[in-house]
Amino acid sequence: MSLRGDVCVLVSCVLLSLFSDVLSLTEQKLTGSLNGKWSLSNSNGSLWLPAQVPGCVHTALQQQGFIQDPYFRFNDLSYRWIALDNWTYTTTFTVSTQLRSKQKVLLVFDGVDTVASILLNGVVVGETDNMFRRYDFSVGELLNDGDNVLKVDLLSPVVYASERRKAHSAYRVPPECPPDVQKGECHVNFIRKEQSSFSWDWGPSFPTMGLWRDVRLEAFNVLQLLQVSSVPLYNSGLSSWRIQLELHVDSVQTTNGRITLSIPELDSEETFDAQFGPGKTKNGFTLHINTSADVKLWWPNGHGDQPFYCLSIRGSQDGILVLSTESKVYFRTVELVQEPIVGSPGLSFYFRINGKPIFLKGSNWIPAHSFQDRVAPAVLRNLLQSAADANMNALRVWGGGVYEQDLFYSLCDELGIMVRRLKSHPSIVIWSGNNENEAALATDWFNIPVTQKPVYLKDYVTLYVDNIRAIVQQEDQSRPFLVSSPTNGAESEQEGWVAGNPYDPHYGDTHFYSYVLDCWDWRTFPQTRFASEYGFQSWPSFSTLQPVSVKEDWSYSSNFSSHRQHHEDGNRQMLLQAALHFNLPNSTDPLRRFSDTLYITQVMQAECVKTQTEFYRRSRSEIVEGKGHTMGALYWQLNDIWQAPSWSSIEFGGKWKMLHYFAQDFFAAVLPVGFEDADTLLIYAVSDLSDDLQLRAAVTVYSWADPDLACTLKSDLLPVPGGSAVVILKQPVAALLAGCGHCTRLTCLLTFHLEDGGGEQHGPTNHHFLCSPKDAEGLQRPNITAKVEEDETGGSYSVTLHSDSVAPFVWLDVGNVPGRFTSNGFLMVTRSTTVSFTAWRPTSVAELSRSLSVTSLRDVY
C-alpha cells in the first residue's frame, strides 16, 4: 500500500538450466559453494553461534535457542536490539589447486542484507550497500593453499539509515518515521533495503541482516555466462516473431567465437560471429522465427494455455564448445491501451494480450515472510496456486518488498498470472516506477512547504522519468512502463508527470479505501478505469493466532490484539463496518466470543470486497455520467507476512480466509452480479470469454424461516457478447416479491444464477440480501450437523452438512489441519449439502471430525 516501486506480472514462468560449460578447450567453469554453516558474532563478542547461509541473524539466533520465535506475542519489540547491533559472519574454507589456477576467480554474493564490508584473509575485497543486487569480487590472488578465512562485517541497518539521514541536508525526505501504531524504525528510505522490514501497516519491524542468498566461488579461464535475457517481439506488419536475446558475459580477455541460437520445435536457427570484450559485457542477438512455424501463444490464466519453447544457446571458439545453455521462451504481446472513449472524457486504461482486451482480476503481493530464508518453494507454490485457483490472472507485486526469487516468476509463467519484473518472463506485463509517490506529491501527504515543492517535483522527474523510465524503455521494448501507480497515465505525462488529481477516475489506475462508508452501497465506489488497490481488513482464524499467543491474549480488547494491529483504529473500524449489517458476537464465554469476532470480521471483509469487485466487473462495458469501462480489479492484498489483522485473503501459513473462497466466485469467467438501484433489482451477466453466449437470469426467492418455501423467476434469453457485461434482468423488488406469497424485504432473500436455453448453469450461484441480516425476520440457529468421510480415491475428504434452516456464511474450520475446502463461507439454502476437503498433510476421518467446527451467522449471537 504506500510509497515504493511496483512491479506488475502476468504469471507464467521461465528460466531453466544455466550450465556454462565454459571455456578454453575442454576445461569447464568451476564453482565452489560457500553455503552452509558459518559462525556469527555480535559487535562486542558476547554472542558467538553457528549460522546457516543463506540465512539471517534473526533466524540463526532462533535456531540456536538464543531467542524465541520472533513472531511470538510482543517479540518484535523485545528483539529490537538485534537490528541495533553490528554482526559478523565468518567461515573458513579450502580451495582446490584446480580452481585457484583458473585465470579468473570470483567471490560471488547473490544477496547481502545490506551494508557490509567483505574481508578475505584479512584483506578488504569490497563493500555492499544494496540488498537487491549481486556482488562479485576478484579474489584469485588472495586465496591461500590452505585455510582461507572469509568475514562479512554487517552494520546495523537502523543506525546506518539514521546516519545517512543526518548527512542529507538538502531537504527532508518523508516519511521520516512510520506512524506510532506500526512500532517501527525510522529513515528506511535512506537504505536500499526491503522497505517493509522497518515496519508497515500490515507487518512487523524486523530490520534483517545476513547473507540471504547464495555465496560461492566461480572460476574460469576464458569466459562465463552470467545471465540470459530473451524477449520475443512481434511485427504485426510482417506477421513475424523475433527473439531479442542478451547474453551477459564475463570474459578474461577479448574472445572471438560463434553463437548459435535455435528453437528446433519452430524450425528456427541462426549463427552469429561474436566478440566478447574483456570484463563484463552485454551482447545482443536476434533470432528470427521461421514464418511458416505455428507459434503457440502464452495466455493469462482463464484465457488459454501457457506453452513454452526451449531456446538453445551454444557458443564455440575455434570449433570447441565453450558455452551451452537453454532457456524457456514464451510468445505473447502486451499493450497498455490509453485511447479516447466515446461518451466519456479522459482515456481508456486496459491491457491487450495477444490482441485481446483482458480484464485483470487479482490481488497485490507482499513479502511472504519477514525472514526470506523461511520462504520455501512450497510456500510460493501454495500461494500462487491459490491465486490461480481463485480465477486470478494478475498480481501487482508491491514495491516495498524484495525482488522475489526466480521461482516466483517461473511459477507465474506456468500458472498464467500476470505481474511485473524480470523481462524474460511473459507473466510480467508492465513495469511501474513507484507506488503512490505521484499521489503523495500531488495531494501533499507530507506537508511539503510550497516554496520547496518545485525541488521535490524536479527530483521526482529526474529519478523516475529521466533515469528509471529511460533505462527500462531502453532495456525492454516488449511491455509498457508507468512512472507511478496510481497514476493518470498519459494524462499525468501531459501534466509534467505529476497530475493535479492522480485519482481521477477518467484516467489510469486508482487506489480507493473507505472504512467508514457502508461497503454494501455500490455508490460509494469510484467507477474507475482500473482499480489497482482497494480492500478491507479482517483477522486471521484462531488456529493461525494460537501458536504466537497465550490465553490472556485471546480477547479482541487484549494488549496483544491492539499490538498486532498496525493500521490506526483498524480494530474498531472492522467492528463498526460489521455492525452496519450484522449483530456482533455476544457469547459470555471469552474464547468463544473472541473466535466469533474473528469470524465476523472475515464475513464483513468477504462481503465488502465482493460488493466492490462485482461493481468493477459489471462496469466493464458501460459509461455512466462519463465514468466506467473498468478493466481491472486487484484488491489489496493476497498474502500475509505474519499472524495479524490485515487486508489479506490468505492467512500466514496459507489458510484461505472467507474472502479467498468468495474470490473463486467473484472472479469467475462468467458471473451474475445483482444489485439494487432505486428499489429495482438489476442482474448483470459478466463474461470474460471470447465466445458469445445466450443467457437468462434464474432468480429464487427463499424465506429466512423455511428453506422449503421458495419461488422462482426466469428472465428472457438475451445475448451476452464475449468480453462484456450486460443487464439481463431489471425488475422492481416490490413486483418480484408480490409474486412470492407473503415475502417481504425482511422475511426473504434471493439467490440467482445464469443459464442457457437448455437450462445449463453458467458460472456460480450468487446471492442478494433484501435487508441487513441483523434485521432479517425468521433467521434462526440452523443446528448444523456434519459428517466426515474419506473419498474412495483417497487423499481427500467429504463433509456432508445438514441444516434445519437457511444459514448464511457457513464456515467450516478444521483448526490446525492444513488444507482447503472446495467451498466455504457459503449461503446454505438447502437442508443438506456436501463439500470436499483436501489436506496438505496426512490426516484421518477421526482427526478431521474431532477438529471440525461449523459456524454460521446466527450462531454468534
Side-chain angles (χ1 to χ4, degrees):
M1 302 183 51
S2 214
L3 284 170
R4 302 291 169 243
D6 287 318
V7 179
C8 225
V9 190
L10 272 170
V11 179
S12 232
C13 291
V14 222
L15 216 64
L16 240 171
S17 63
L18 258 186
F19 65 91
S20 306
D21 290 337
V22 315
L23 310 139
S24 97
L25 302 176
T26 58
E27 286 191 327
Q28 294 180 329
K29 159 189 162 182
L30 296 179
T31 301
S33 174
L34 297 178
N35 292 347
K37 185 177 289 186
W38 291 46
S39 64
L40 177 64
S41 60
N42 65 342
S43 57
N44 65 10
S46 60
L47 288 174
W48 282 84
L49 59 146
Q52 283 294 315
V53 172
C56 73
V57 173
H58 288 82
T59 53
L61 289 170
Q62 183 187 359
Q63 286 165 354
Q64 297 303 317
F66 285 91
I67 63 173
Q68 294 178 302
D69 179 357
Y71 282 174
F72 185 71
R73 300 197 77 206
F74 309 97
N75 282 346
D76 53 318
L77 297 184
S78 302
Y79 299 152
R80 279 191 67 201
W81 60 270
I82 297 171
L84 298 175
D85 206 346
N86 300 328
W87 296 84
T88 297
Y89 278 81
T90 306
T91 188
T92 301
F93 62 93
T94 58
V95 181
S96 68
T97 303
Q98 186 182 13
L99 187 146
R100 286 193 299 112
S101 66
K102 295 293 186 182
Q103 291 288 314
K104 193 167 188 175
V105 182
L106 297 175
L107 172 61
V108 179
F109 294 85
D110 282 336
V112 179
D113 182 13
T114 293
V115 182
S117 295
I118 315 293
L119 296 90
L120 179 60
N121 295 326
V123 177
V124 176
V125 297
E127 296 182 337
T128 71
D129 61 3
N130 186 334
M131 177 184 180
F132 307 118
R133 58 160 289 191
R134 161 191 159 126
Y135 287 91
D136 59 52
F137 310 100
S138 182
V139 297
E141 297 180 356
L142 296 176
L143 291 171
N144 295 327
D145 190 17
D147 286 346
N148 294 273
V149 179
L150 176 60
K151 293 177 64 178
V152 180
D153 291 331
L154 291 158
L155 297 180
S156 160
V158 178
V159 174
Y160 172 84
S162 178
E163 291 175 347
R164 288 287 301 272
R165 163 63 183 90
K166 293 173 185 175
H168 180 81
S169 58
Y171 53 75
R172 182 173 64 95
V173 181
E176 299 227 65
C177 296
D180 292 343
V181 71
Q182 291 182 20
K183 309 162 190 73
E185 304 292 354
C186 298
H187 310 302
V188 69
N189 42 21
F190 279 90
I191 184 170
R192 192 75 178 103
K193 174 177 171 58
E194 178 186 354
Q195 298 292 283
S196 58
S197 67
F198 277 42
S199 83
W200 218 262
D201 55 4
W202 38 255
S205 175
F206 286 113
T208 48
M209 289 172 282
L211 304 175
W212 70 295
R213 285 184 170 160
D214 293 339
V215 183
R216 64 187 175 278
L217 292 170
E218 294 178 350
F220 54 94
N221 282 335
V222 181
L223 60 79
Q224 72 159 336
L225 180 64
L226 299 174
Q227 181 183 338
V228 176
S229 297
S230 57
V231 177
L233 297 172
Y234 185 67
N235 185 321
S236 56
L238 299 176
S239 299
S240 64
W241 285 95
R242 69 184 189 279
I243 295 176
Q244 278 192 349
L245 185 81
E246 284 183 353
L247 300 182
H248 295 248
V249 170
D250 189 357
S251 183
V252 173
Q253 58 191 17
T254 299
T255 304
N256 295 305
R258 293 174 68 78
I259 296 291
T260 299
L261 309 177
S262 66
I263 302 180
E265 196 173 349
L266 296 178
D267 194 24
S268 302
E269 179 174 305
E270 293 187 55
T271 299
F272 310 87
D273 291 326
Q275 183 178 81
F276 302 108
K280 294 175 183 174
T281 57
K282 184 171 62 177
N283 309 269
F285 305 91
T286 301
L287 173 62
H288 294 274
I289 302 302
N290 189 331
T291 54
S292 63
D294 180 18
V295 177
K296 295 180 174 62
L297 301 180
W298 180 97
W299 287 96
N301 183 34
H303 292 272
D305 297 329
Q306 296 79 40
F308 67 88
Y309 294 90
C310 221
L311 170 64
S312 169
I313 305 155
R314 301 186 305 278
S316 60
Q317 183 183 35
D318 300 328
I320 297 172
L321 184 68
V322 295
L323 181 155
S324 179
T325 188
E326 291 182 342
S327 177
K328 287 183 180 178
V329 174
Y330 299 79
F331 292 88
R332 67 100 181 90
T333 62
V334 55
E335 306 162 81
L336 174 57
V337 183
Q338 300 182 79
E339 298 173 342
I341 299 174
V342 176
S344 173
L347 300 171
S348 65
F349 189 93
Y350 68 91
F351 291 89
R352 203 154 48 202
I353 309 297
N354 302 328
K356 177 184 178 181
I358 302 290
F359 189 107
L360 266 60
K361 304 179 296 187
S363 188
N364 285 259
W365 173 274
I366 66 166
H369 205 294
S370 291
F371 313 117
Q372 282 294 309
D373 52 293
R374 297 286 177 88
V375 183
V379 171
L380 289 181
R381 179 170 283 281
N382 191 334
L383 288 170
L384 293 174
Q385 188 67 58
S386 292
D389 290 348
N391 294 307
M392 296 183 185
N393 60 25
L395 289 176
R396 181 174 175 269
V397 179
W398 179 73
V402 297
Y403 292 105
E404 290 293 342
Q405 48 193 283
D406 283 344
L407 177 63
F408 173 89
Y409 295 97
S410 294
L411 290 170
C412 287
D413 292 343
E414 294 172 12
L415 296 170
I417 301 173
M418 297 176 272
V419 263
R420 307 169 176 177
R421 189 173 116 74
L422 300 172
K423 67 182 182 183
S424 292
H425 293 272
S427 56
I428 298 156
V429 295
I430 189 171
W431 307 101
S432 178
N434 67 75
N435 176 65
E436 296 180 341
N437 290 16
E438 180 185 344
L441 282 172
T443 58
D444 198 22
W445 288 8
F446 303 112
N447 302 310
I448 297 169
V450 175
T451 55
Q452 293 185 19
K453 190 168 182 179
V455 178
Y456 285 80
L457 292 173
K458 177 177 177 293
D459 283 1
Y460 175 87
V461 173
T462 299
L463 173 60
Y464 292 113
V465 180
D466 299 343
N467 283 281
I468 296 176
R469 177 175 178 264
I471 292 169
V472 171
Q473 290 186 336
Q474 177 183 344
E475 290 285 328
D476 184 4
Q477 302 162 33
S478 72
R479 52 180 67 82
F481 176 86
L482 284 175
V483 172
S484 187
S485 174
T487 182
N488 289 351
E491 175 62 20
S492 290
E493 181 176 352
Q494 291 297 312
E495 296 182 37
W497 302 105
V498 176
N501 175 21
Y503 296 104
D504 188 335
H506 300 98
Y507 302 94
D509 66 323
T510 62
H511 295 180
F512 179 80
Y513 295 95
S514 174
Y515 310 112
V516 178
L517 298 175
D518 182 359
C519 77
W520 285 25
D521 184 358
W522 55 269
R523 299 167 188 83
T524 65
F525 308 132
Q527 199 157 20
T528 177
R529 305 292 194 224
F530 192 107
S532 55
E533 276 194 28
Y534 60 96
F536 294 83
Q537 281 198 321
S538 71
W539 274 81
S541 36
F542 180 71
S543 62
T544 295
L545 293 171
Q546 188 174 10
V548 293
S549 58
V550 296
K551 186 175 181 180
E552 69 184 76
D553 301 329
W554 300 338
S555 162
Y556 202 74
S557 59
S558 69
N559 290 335
F560 173 80
S561 294
S562 175
H563 175 78
R564 224 66 175 185
Q565 175 59 266
H566 281 200
H567 168 62
E568 190 68 52
D569 207 28
N571 287 345
R572 190 177 74 95
Q573 288 173 351
M574 279 185 270
L575 294 189
L576 287 176
Q577 183 64 238
L580 293 176
H581 299 287
F582 307 112
N583 288 306
L584 298 183
N586 61 1
S587 173
T588 56
D589 176 68
L591 180 57
R592 175 65 188 270
R593 185 166 182 170
F594 181 57
S595 61
D596 285 349
T597 303
L598 304 180
Y599 161 84
I600 207 69
T601 68
Q602 290 206 19
V603 172
M604 175 275 294
Q605 180 198 35
E607 273 292 304
C608 287
V609 177
K610 170 184 183 291
T611 303
Q612 193 165 358
T613 305
E614 290 181 346
F615 170 72
Y616 294 140
R617 291 202 65 192
R618 69 174 168 88
S619 298
R620 71 172 291 165
S621 300
E622 65 185 11
I623 294 294
V624 179
E625 297 179 352
K627 301 172 185 176
H629 275 214
T630 307
M631 285 296 288
L634 309 178
Y635 66 76
W636 186 274
Q637 68 205 57
L638 179 74
N639 56 312
D640 264 335
I641 198 170
W642 71 332
Q643 309 92 331
S646 81
W647 294 258
S648 76
S649 63
I650 302 177
E651 300 176 8
F652 181 82
K655 189 172 188 175
W656 285 21
K657 289 182 178 178
M658 193 178 295
L659 169 57
H660 209 79
Y661 285 101
F662 275 38
Q664 276 187 306
D665 285 348
F666 64 62
F667 281 145
V670 177
L671 174 70
V673 176
F675 65 100
E676 288 185 47
D677 190 8
D679 292 324
T680 296
L681 175 69
L682 293 96
I683 295 179
Y684 278 58
V686 181
S687 173
D688 289 336
L689 303 180
S690 298
D691 298 332
D692 298 341
L693 299 171
Q694 290 276 332
L695 298 175
R696 65 164 58 99
V699 181
T700 303
V701 183
Y702 289 96
S703 164
W704 284 112
D706 188 348
D708 295 329
L709 294 177
C711 64
T712 60
L713 166 75
K714 294 189 178 184
S715 67
D716 295 331
L717 280 173
L718 290 173
V720 180
S724 74
V726 298
V727 178
I728 207 162
L729 180 145
K730 184 176 182 180
Q731 183 164 357
V733 173
L736 180 67
L737 295 180
C740 286
H742 300 291
C743 264
T744 69
R745 280 187 172 275
L746 298 180
T747 62
C748 292
L749 69 153
L750 311 178
T751 68
F752 54 94
H753 65 265
L754 301 172
E755 62 184 36
D756 59 24
E760 181 181 352
Q761 182 170 336
H762 290 251
T765 298
N766 209 334
H767 65 261
H768 178 69
F769 297 136
L770 298 169
C771 67
S772 295
K774 70 178 183 180
D775 299 323
E777 295 178 358
L779 178 59
Q780 50 200 286
R781 292 196 175 177
N783 301 315
I784 296 175
T785 60
K787 182 179 181 181
V788 180
E789 297 175 294
E790 187 169 9
D791 291 345
E792 294 180 0
T793 55
S796 63
Y797 299 81
S798 65
V799 182
T800 301
L801 305 175
H802 294 275
S803 174
D804 291 343
S805 61
V806 170
F809 307 107
V810 176
W811 182 247
L812 311 181
D813 193 305
V814 286
N816 60 9
V817 180
R820 187 200 301 176
F821 291 93
T822 50
S823 180
N824 213 345
F826 49 84
L827 172 66
M828 191 169 174
V829 290
T830 56
R831 293 197 180 272
S832 67
T833 191
T834 300
V835 298
S836 294
F837 177 78
T838 300
W840 299 337
R841 67 159 170 81
T843 185
S844 64
V845 169
E847 183 186 27
L848 288 176
S849 300
R850 191 169 58 247
S851 304
L852 178 65
S853 66
V854 182
T855 305
S856 73
L857 188 63
R858 189 59 186 84
D859 295 322
V860 305
Y861 64 92

